[in-house]
Amino acid sequence: MRHRRHIRIAPLLLVLALAFAVATPTAAGPYREYDIKFTGEAPPPLGASPGDPELINSIAWLMNNKLDLPFPAVTKAYVYVNEATLVDGLVTLGGEKSNEAWDRWRNASGVATRNGVFLRGDHMAWMHLQGRAGLLAHELAHVSQRKLGEGGKLRPAVWILEGHADWVKFQVRDMLGYRPYAESRQNVVRAVVGAATPIKLFPDLQTLSGTAGWTDWTRKLGAITTYCQAFLAVDWLIERYGSAKLAEFMGRFALESAPGENWTTAYPIPYRQFTDEFRARLEDLSRAMPPAAGGSLAASRPSCD
């Protein structure tokens, strides 16, 4: 399998050697900086109220050892005090363009870049444990995706990247004992069925392939029509062909193959056929499961929960 060719970080206990830096109100730096190092043989034990270092240790170990996801040998996590310092950090440390960072990321709780994971400490402070675990797993999944496609100029469709990141999030929560995967999936289905926007008006997966389309539709109709739909598509793709096949597909983007070749090499079903079949499956959900009373996700939420 393609992703196993990456250097595997031997049974991974993600020990965060913490360089604790206190930023002044005007400083661009984070107020917490974690230098992530991959060593050890067993996941660290978690108490009832784990701190961020302990939580991210366990999550990364599970992702590498149980989900077979690769990581760079060196990865940093930066935690910022507020919106302004996060955006500033994304420009100064994350390599983002200043004219795009504010518009794209000012409301984000976390962002994964080629230079590490950038997090809003003020958001994480009021998150419950499941929320913190979900945020960390989702962003670390994006770090792993970058590692899989390292060296390539192209990347998979955004719906695949975001759907996979939420698939990882729900798997990690299950393995940590916070919520069974099947329950998380059912919650997403109920959110889709009970959404204010009828499923027939959801954008199709092709529309959600690029960053611009993804961002526009998320802002226009909310996360249920994009993140939730993408998760269900990836969940079904993995159900049919396995998670290793998806990792192989994402790893092929490091090879600079011709557009479309990565999918046809990895999967026996044509891309258009899969997306069409998924659309029919999505529209059948309302007949298969009635919405839960009052159950929906906030339109501004960055990923399905």
Side-chain angles (χ1 to χ4, degrees), residues 11 15 41 48 52 55 85 104 136 156 186 206 211 216 266 273 288 292:
V15 177
E41 296 184 354
D52 292 337
L55 188 58
T85 55
R104 290 185 63 189
L136 293 170
Q186 185 178 53
Q206 186 59 40
T211 300
D216 289 346
Q273 181 181 340

Side-chain angles (χ1 to χ4, degrees), residues 11 20 27-28 33 39 62 68 76 89 103 111 169 175 193 196 207 219 225 227-228 233 273 288 293-294 296 300:
F20 199 71
E33 176 183 332
T39 58
L62 289 169
D68 291 324
K76 289 182 178 288
D103 182 56
V111 181
K169 175 179 72 176
M175 289 185 284
V193 173
T207 303
R219 290 175 176 173
T225 67
Y227 285 92
C228 291
Q273 181 181 340
S296 64
S300 61

Side-chain angles (χ1 to χ4, degrees), residues 43-59:
L46 287 179
S49 301
D52 292 337
E54 293 79 17
L55 188 58
I56 200 170
N57 281 346
S58 292
I59 289 170

